[in-house]
PDB file of all heavy atoms in Angstrom:
ATOM      1  N   SER A  38      -9.375 -16.844   4.971  1.00  0.00           N
ATOM      2  CA  SER A  38      -8.021 -17.283   4.736  1.00  0.00           C
ATOM      3  C   SER A  38      -7.294 -17.581   6.060  1.00  0.00           C
ATOM      4  O   SER A  38      -7.803 -17.259   7.114  1.00  0.00           O
ATOM      5  CB  SER A  38      -7.256 -16.213   3.932  1.00  0.00           C
ATOM      6  OG  SER A  38      -7.803 -16.116   2.637  1.00  0.00           O
ATOM      7  N   THR A  39      -6.117 -18.174   5.933  1.00  0.00           N
ATOM      8  CA  THR A  39      -5.343 -18.538   7.127  1.00  0.00           C
ATOM      9  C   THR A  39      -3.887 -18.070   6.951  1.00  0.00           C
ATOM     10  O   THR A  39      -3.431 -17.879   5.831  1.00  0.00           O
ATOM     11  CB  THR A  39      -5.338 -20.068   7.352  1.00  0.00           C
ATOM     12  OG1 THR A  39      -4.870 -20.686   6.131  1.00  0.00           O
ATOM     13  CG2 THR A  39      -6.692 -20.599   7.694  1.00  0.00           C
ATOM     14  N   VAL A  40      -3.182 -17.931   8.068  1.00  0.00           N
ATOM     15  CA  VAL A  40      -1.760 -17.725   8.001  1.00  0.00           C
ATOM     16  C   VAL A  40      -1.134 -19.071   8.368  1.00  0.00           C
ATOM     17  O   VAL A  40      -1.239 -19.538   9.506  1.00  0.00           O
ATOM     18  CB  VAL A  40      -1.271 -16.601   8.951  1.00  0.00           C
ATOM     19  CG1 VAL A  40       0.247 -16.452   8.879  1.00  0.00           C
ATOM     20  CG2 VAL A  40      -1.968 -15.296   8.597  1.00  0.00           C
ATOM     21  N   GLN A  41      -0.499 -19.663   7.384  1.00  0.00           N
ATOM     22  CA  GLN A  41      -0.036 -21.035   7.518  1.00  0.00           C
ATOM     23  C   GLN A  41       1.417 -21.083   8.027  1.00  0.00           C
ATOM     24  O   GLN A  41       1.793 -22.070   8.679  1.00  0.00           O
ATOM     25  CB  GLN A  41      -0.104 -21.710   6.156  1.00  0.00           C
ATOM     26  CG  GLN A  41      -0.296 -23.170   6.164  1.00  0.00           C
ATOM     27  CD  GLN A  41      -1.554 -23.635   6.862  1.00  0.00           C
ATOM     28  OE1 GLN A  41      -2.540 -22.906   6.834  1.00  0.00           O
ATOM     29  NE2 GLN A  41      -1.484 -24.777   7.559  1.00  0.00           N
ATOM     30  N   ALA A  42       2.202 -20.073   7.718  1.00  0.00           N
ATOM     31  CA  ALA A  42       3.613 -20.094   8.120  1.00  0.00           C
ATOM     32  C   ALA A  42       4.147 -18.684   8.247  1.00  0.00           C
ATOM     33  O   ALA A  42       3.695 -17.771   7.540  1.00  0.00           O
ATOM     34  CB  ALA A  42       4.421 -20.877   7.065  1.00  0.00           C
ATOM     35  N   ILE A  43       5.102 -18.518   9.149  1.00  0.00           N
ATOM     36  CA  ILE A  43       5.823 -17.231   9.320  1.00  0.00           C
ATOM     37  C   ILE A  43       7.309 -17.499   9.005  1.00  0.00           C
ATOM     38  O   ILE A  43       7.857 -18.496   9.501  1.00  0.00           O
ATOM     39  CB  ILE A  43       5.598 -16.625  10.730  1.00  0.00           C
ATOM     40  CG1 ILE A  43       6.440 -15.357  10.925  1.00  0.00           C
ATOM     41  CG2 ILE A  43       5.941 -17.632  11.828  1.00  0.00           C
ATOM     42  CD1 ILE A  43       5.918 -14.157  10.146  1.00  0.00           C
ATOM     43  N   GLY A  44       7.893 -16.613   8.258  1.00  0.00           N
ATOM     44  CA  GLY A  44       9.342 -16.635   8.068  1.00  0.00           C
ATOM     45  C   GLY A  44       9.975 -15.497   8.810  1.00  0.00           C
ATOM     46  O   GLY A  44       9.618 -14.329   8.551  1.00  0.00           O
ATOM     47  N   SER A  45      10.867 -15.794   9.729  1.00  0.00           N
ATOM     48  CA  SER A  45      11.536 -14.746  10.500  1.00  0.00           C
ATOM     49  C   SER A  45      13.012 -15.091  10.640  1.00  0.00           C
ATOM     50  O   SER A  45      13.348 -16.255  10.897  1.00  0.00           O
ATOM     51  CB  SER A  45      10.899 -14.630  11.901  1.00  0.00           C
ATOM     52  OG  SER A  45      11.579 -13.683  12.662  1.00  0.00           O
ATOM     53  N   ARG A  46      13.875 -14.080  10.530  1.00  0.00           N
ATOM     54  CA  ARG A  46      15.286 -14.340  10.709  1.00  0.00           C
ATOM     55  C   ARG A  46      15.580 -14.757  12.116  1.00  0.00           C
ATOM     56  O   ARG A  46      16.521 -15.481  12.421  1.00  0.00           O
ATOM     57  CB  ARG A  46      16.076 -13.035  10.400  1.00  0.00           C
ATOM     58  CG  ARG A  46      15.921 -12.515   8.998  1.00  0.00           C
ATOM     59  CD  ARG A  46      16.498 -11.124   8.891  1.00  0.00           C
ATOM     60  NE  ARG A  46      15.880 -10.205   9.863  1.00  0.00           N
ATOM     61  CZ  ARG A  46      16.280  -8.988  10.123  1.00  0.00           C
ATOM     62  NH1 ARG A  46      17.348  -8.495   9.501  1.00  0.00           N
ATOM     63  NH2 ARG A  46      15.641  -8.204  10.996  1.00  0.00           N
ATOM     64  N   ASP A  47      14.693 -14.355  13.021  1.00  0.00           N
ATOM     65  CA  ASP A  47      14.897 -14.584  14.453  1.00  0.00           C
ATOM     66  C   ASP A  47      13.913 -15.622  14.977  1.00  0.00           C
ATOM     67  O   ASP A  47      12.702 -15.467  14.910  1.00  0.00           O
ATOM     68  CB  ASP A  47      14.675 -13.236  15.202  1.00  0.00           C
ATOM     69  CG  ASP A  47      14.968 -13.362  16.651  1.00  0.00           C
ATOM     70  OD1 ASP A  47      14.019 -13.761  17.404  1.00  0.00           O
ATOM     71  OD2 ASP A  47      16.126 -13.110  17.068  1.00  0.00           O
ATOM     72  N   ALA A  48      14.487 -16.762  15.503  1.00  0.00           N
ATOM     73  CA  ALA A  48      13.625 -17.863  15.918  1.00  0.00           C
ATOM     74  C   ALA A  48      12.634 -17.435  17.020  1.00  0.00           C
ATOM     75  O   ALA A  48      11.459 -17.819  16.999  1.00  0.00           O
ATOM     76  CB  ALA A  48      14.507 -19.015  16.422  1.00  0.00           C
ATOM     77  N   GLY A  49      13.100 -16.621  17.939  1.00  0.00           N
ATOM     78  CA  GLY A  49      12.234 -16.171  19.052  1.00  0.00           C
ATOM     79  C   GLY A  49      11.077 -15.319  18.530  1.00  0.00           C
ATOM     80  O   GLY A  49       9.939 -15.507  18.940  1.00  0.00           O
ATOM     81  N   ARG A  50      11.423 -14.398  17.607  1.00  0.00           N
ATOM     82  CA  ARG A  50      10.377 -13.520  17.091  1.00  0.00           C
ATOM     83  C   ARG A  50       9.364 -14.334  16.270  1.00  0.00           C
ATOM     84  O   ARG A  50       8.160 -14.126  16.348  1.00  0.00           O
ATOM     85  CB  ARG A  50      11.005 -12.405  16.248  1.00  0.00           C
ATOM     86  CG  ARG A  50      10.052 -11.306  15.887  1.00  0.00           C
ATOM     87  CD  ARG A  50      10.699  -9.999  15.447  1.00  0.00           C
ATOM     88  NE  ARG A  50      11.802 -10.152  14.511  1.00  0.00           N
ATOM     89  CZ  ARG A  50      13.053  -9.856  14.776  1.00  0.00           C
ATOM     90  NH1 ARG A  50      13.416  -9.367  15.969  1.00  0.00           N
ATOM     91  NH2 ARG A  50      14.004 -10.028  13.884  1.00  0.00           N
TER      92      ARG A  50
END
Side-chain angles (χ1 to χ4, degrees):
S38 293
T39 54
V40 179
Q41 207 60 32
I43 175 73
S45 175
R46 299 168 303 170
D47 183 273
R50 191 161 45 245

